[in-house]
Amino acid sequence: MIHTTRSRPSLLAVLLVLIPVLAPAATAPRANEQPARPGAQGGGTTLLPNGWRIAPAGRHVSVGDLPLAMVESPDGRYLIVSNDGYAKPTLTVVDVARLNVKSRLPLDNAWLGLAWHPDGKRLFSSGAGESSVRELLWEASGVLTPGARIDLKRPASESFVAGVAVSPDGSRVFAVHALGELLSAITLGSEGMPAVTQVELPAEGYTALVTPDGRTLYVSLWGGAKVLAFDPVTLEPRGEIAVGEHPSAMVLSKDGTRLFVACANTNAVWVVDLAAQTAREQISVALYPSAPAGSTPNGLGLSSDGETLLVASADNNAIAVVDVRRPGASVVKGFIPTGWYPTAVQFSRDGKRIYVLSGKGLTSMANPRGPQPGVPTAPGQYAGSMLQGSLSVVPVPDAAQLAAYTKTVLAVTPYTDAARLAPAQAPAGSPIPRKVGDPSPIKHVFYVIRENRTYDQILGDLEKGNGDPTLCLFGEEATPNAHALAREFVLLDNFYVDAEVSFSGHAFSTAAYATPIAGEST
């Protein structure tokens, strides 16, 4: 929805009704005060186009477009990151001591799935839209080279391979087909083509996890609010467990009795008692007790001692640090600030550092030479591929540092329970009620959406406002009605939203939220 010059669409005046909810940092300024605009604000803080701010902890390195998954090398010297956005996918190898990119391996297709073979010499990656699993050969010097490609049945034209898991003995690779409602089991052999067994799933799957004893395979059912259990040898079903909406990442407790499931369309991690095959606990990672759904927990990491769970909350731009020592009585100890839209988190092998992937990186940027009718788009100027995700390395904080991090997370977050029905930055003297339920002279709302055009491309020639006439393509002569509406009602020259392309943009424009299937698969 935002093929942008300044990361903003030309939604017309009626959208002012939504400004306190969607873009609190971009509301009308006080007298003689300039509106805040996305970008660096000083003090390590950045204002995002959606009105939220970030102040990520740790050291950072750019890794590529929409990083969704990472694995540590067998010796702990490197992280391999899967970049799975609009741009050509890559597996990026990062030297964690120097915090620089050691090497990159371009792939035709990849999305989420990344799993080591037990021999530590082979890495398996999702083949995404080509409906395959790719084998990559690992060199201890930090370089990946292509190996075999294992082609799988394509259950539907829109299907793609998502999560990948490897059995503890290395004999099988499991692949979950998102949107295809299928699970594939690949039996690896020393000669010839691997044998493939497949079973249908009752809804869209996300990822898979095999227990350390190799006896049970779990699949999170992205579109079914369930976790399914299978025999990993025969793929015979062994039960299903109801959890929250959009179950995504999963991790086992150290003793193997509990399964933690990040349910991305809720504010919680659901904790499954595996003996009873029932979810016994929900760990809320919301920043405030009454916050509506929208934290988007989608990544999990467990400490080697099994006592601390890390939860990546994509739309809170934070990592929740949870004490999980006592089953049924988990406690959120605090939050760590991250970059924009964290997608994965884990402890380092030595337990001294926390690795965080932020899918949208550390800032937004303008694209003045973006898509225009009849003009080729300049390299790197398409909004869907401009955001460069980042890897952050954070020393494991002590109690005092975690308290400071938590204070930062709350300070940069525009939402509070107190402001839920009465936004703190609602402009005074506006016909829009400052509190939900208060009277307003507005009787009817016409909701007009203009897709695939920036503010400047339509209204950049207006005599007032924050516009750039050099970027105007369809000025007043071509769009007299749009200009008349802007003059008669309100300009909205600094209205910002949280979407890069139309798929997620439509979700935001109608619901003020886009689920991970919109945010991570476009």
Side-chain angles (χ1 to χ4, degrees):
M1 184 174 174
I2 306 183
H3 299 284
T4 74
T5 297
R6 290 188 176 86
S7 297
R8 61 195 184 192
S10 57
L11 303 187
L12 298 184
V14 294
L15 290 187
L16 184 62
V17 178
L18 296 180
I19 287 180
V21 177
L22 287 180
T27 51
R30 298 178 180 88
N32 301 319
E33 181 181 347
Q34 291 297 315
R37 298 193 177 106
Q41 305 293 296
T45 300
T46 298
L47 178 64
L48 301 177
N50 59 7
W52 287 57
R53 291 178 293 157
I54 56 173
R59 300 165 60 219
H60 320 287
V61 61
S62 178
V63 290
D65 186 8
L66 190 63
L68 291 181
M70 60 181 160
V71 293
E72 201 170 12
S73 65
D75 61 7
R77 294 173 56 200
Y78 303 101
L79 277 177
I80 298 92
V81 177
S82 183
N83 298 299
D84 307 322
Y86 180 88
K88 187 178 181 65
T90 63
L91 294 181
T92 299
V93 180
V94 178
D95 182 321
V96 295
R98 295 179 173 85
L99 202 60
N100 61 18
V101 174
K102 173 70 174 180
S103 64
R104 295 184 193 270
L105 176 66
L107 298 173
D108 290 332
N109 290 275
W111 197 84
L112 181 71
L114 207 56
W116 282 109
H117 189 276
D119 64 13
K121 299 177 181 179
R122 290 177 286 171
L123 182 66
F124 291 92
S125 171
S126 154
E130 68 186 19
S131 198
S132 71
V133 171
R134 299 298 300 261
E135 178 190 60
L136 295 314
L137 307 179
W138 174 249
E139 298 176 12
S141 60
V143 176
L144 286 166
T145 56
R149 167 175 157 172
I150 306 169
D151 291 319
L152 304 171
K153 171 187 174 182
R154 181 187 293 276
S157 59
E158 68 275 12
S159 177
F160 58 95
V161 173
V164 171
V166 180
S167 63
D169 64 3
S171 64
R172 292 178 179 82
V173 178
F174 303 96
V176 179
H177 299 251
L179 305 188
E181 303 180 8
L182 193 71
L183 170 66
S184 293
I186 304 162
T187 301
L188 302 176
S190 57
E191 298 180 1
M193 291 298 295
V196 178
T197 305
Q198 296 179 314
V199 294
E200 293 184 356
L201 301 174
E204 297 82 357
Y206 184 82
T207 194
L209 180 152
V210 189
T211 56
D213 61 11
R215 295 181 178 180
T216 307
L217 170 69
Y218 293 105
V219 173
S220 53
L221 212 57
W222 212 14
K226 295 176 182 178
V227 172
L228 304 183
F230 295 92
D231 182 310
V233 176
T234 66
L235 294 190
E236 288 293 322
R238 286 186 170 174
E240 60 181 45
I241 305 155
V243 293
E245 292 183 351
H246 284 197
S248 302
M250 301 180 289
V251 66
L252 279 168
S253 63
K254 186 176 181 180
D255 62 9
T257 62
R258 291 175 290 166
L259 180 67
F260 299 97
V261 185
C263 295
N265 211 25
T266 75
N267 285 339
V269 174
W270 292 52
V271 187
V272 175
D273 179 333
L274 292 177
Q277 289 204 328
T278 301
R280 299 289 194 191
E281 183 182 9
Q282 295 179 35
I283 305 170
S284 174
V285 295
L287 301 180
Y288 292 90
S290 299
S295 296
T296 319
N298 64 350
L300 300 174
L302 189 68
S303 61
S304 59
D305 61 10
E307 296 183 356
T308 302
L309 180 71
L310 302 175
V311 185
S313 297
D315 284 302
N316 285 346
N317 303 318
I319 300 299
V321 182
V322 189
D323 183 338
V324 294
R325 289 176 293 178
R326 297 173 56 199
S330 301
V331 177
V332 176
K333 297 192 295 183
F335 301 92
I336 299 173
T338 71
W340 188 4
Y341 201 89
T343 54
V345 62
Q346 66 185 54
F347 285 96
S348 62
R349 181 173 280 101
D350 61 13
K352 296 180 180 180
R353 298 176 299 279
I354 294 171
Y355 300 134
V356 181
L357 292 182
S358 294
K360 300 183 182 183
L362 304 177
T363 189
S364 61
M365 60 192 74
N367 62 339
R369 295 296 174 260
Q372 301 181 32
V375 179
T377 301
Q381 290 282 289
Y382 174 57
S385 59
M386 288 180 66
L387 296 177
Q388 290 297 296
S390 60
L391 166 68
S392 299
V393 180
V394 184
V396 172
D398 58 19
Q401 182 63 72
L402 183 58
Y405 281 155
T406 302
K407 184 177 180 180
T408 297
V409 169
L410 297 177
V412 298
T413 301
Y415 175 87
T416 66
D417 281 347
R420 180 177 181 181
L421 300 180
Q425 294 184 343
S430 169
I432 300 169
R434 300 197 71 182
K435 180 180 179 182
V436 174
D438 282 356
S440 168
I442 297 174
K443 300 302 180 185
H444 303 283
V445 174
F446 293 89
Y447 189 17
V448 182
I449 301 173
R450 184 188 298 277
E451 183 180 5
N452 294 335
R453 288 290 165 261
T454 69
Y455 173 89
D456 287 317
Q457 288 177 339
I458 305 296
L459 300 175
D461 63 339
L462 273 175
E463 65 281 357
K464 58 181 180 177
N466 179 27
D468 185 345
T470 67
L471 300 176
C472 187
L473 299 178
F474 303 100
E476 185 161 11
E477 183 176 324
T479 56
N481 291 338
H483 283 67
L485 285 170
R487 287 195 177 96
E488 184 173 352
F489 294 100
V490 67
L491 195 58
L492 288 184
D493 57 335
N494 283 295
F495 180 81
Y496 301 86
V497 298
D498 189 2
E500 298 80 58
V501 294
S502 296
F503 186 40
S504 52
H506 284 300
F508 276 109
S509 67
T510 56
Y513 177 65
T515 63
I517 197 166
E520 298 175 14
S521 62
T522 55

